[in-house]
């Protein structure tokens, strides 16, 4: 696990955007999973600006899903597809044919996960996954539990996460109870797994990650210690308890 500590949210976003641009330059048809949430918003703004200036070309980049709420249609403003399309995809030169997201409204989600995992395997795996970390240590929607799942799967969203994410919905009742997410092997096998974190709210999770000696399913972020290709960018506030 490689950790970079930078001054603030702006520096974290600049550093992350630079890594994405470097990776796309090295491999123009990179297979990448971009995250939703508040953390990456500024990174997307920077990438949109750089794309407009002609400094990065997304036309051959292949986009896949990190996670999504089960049952939210793509036109819902909190679906993975809508969020990323509004903020990022529609503002850059992505080819819509290269954006293949998991169908979170599929009638049989287990089969959809198997199908998606097979597709990724045939494509040779994911080159770059970018994600955040939950204050409770979740990664993607891999929530604290007795066991963690290896591949794309449906996961019950913890009550803790539902409450935290209720800020994006009109009420807590509207926050879906299930999500589909990458599994831990998907994360660890990616060519690069880039974790972004800003703010003091995440500081306790990082303290636990660095100070606890064990790797445990009840704190999914501890699995980051297993990855050779894990790169974390924290701002000073997130790193304040390390
Ligand atoms: P956030 O979410 O970017 O909104 O903080 C990150 C996460 O919960 O994984």
């Amino acid at each position: 696990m490689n950790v970079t500590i930078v001054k603030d949210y702006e520096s974290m976003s600049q550093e992350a955007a630079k890594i994405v641009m470097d990776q796309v330059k090295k491999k123009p048809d990179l297979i990448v999973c971009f995250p939703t949430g508040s953390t990456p918003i500024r990174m997307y703004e920077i990438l949109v600006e750089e794309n407009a200036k002609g400094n990065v070309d997304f036309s051959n980049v292949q986009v896949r899903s990190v996670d999504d709420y089960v049952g939210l249609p793509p036109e819902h403003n909190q679906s993975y597809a809508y969020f990323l399309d509004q903020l990022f995809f529609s503002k850059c030169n992505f080819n819509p044919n290269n954006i293949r997201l998991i169908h979170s409204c599929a009638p049989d989600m287990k089969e959809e996960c198997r199908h998606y995992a097979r597709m990724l395997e045939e494509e040779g795996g994911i080159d770059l996954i970018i994600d955040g970390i939950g204050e409770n240590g979740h990664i993607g929607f891999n929530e604290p539990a007795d066991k963690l799942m290896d591949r794309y799967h449906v996961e019950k969203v913890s009550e803790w996460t539902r409450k935290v994410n209720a800020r994006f919905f009109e009420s807590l009742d509207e926050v879906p109870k299930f999500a589909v997410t990458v599994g831990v092997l998907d994360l660890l096998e990616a060519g690069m797994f880039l974790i972004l974190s800003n703010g003091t709210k995440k500081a306790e999770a990082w303290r636990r990650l660095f100070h606890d000696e064990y790797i445990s399913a009840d704190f999914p972020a501890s699995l980051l210690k297993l990855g050779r290709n894990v790169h974390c960018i924290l701002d000073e506030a997130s790193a304040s308890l390390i």
Side-chain angles (χ1 to χ4, degrees), residues 36-40 131-135 138 140 165 167-168 202:
T36 57
S38 351
T39 311
D131 210 345
I133 179 174
E135 291 159 51
H138 73 199
N165 288 359
R167 70 190 192 281
F168 298 118
K202 309 283 172 77

Side-chain angles (χ1 to χ4, degrees), residues 106-116 152-154:
D108 182 344
M109 281 307 299
K110 272 197 178 166
E111 181 47 34
E112 173 64 11
C113 289
R114 275 194 291 269
H115 166 80
Y116 204 70
Y152 278 88
H153 61 283
V154 172

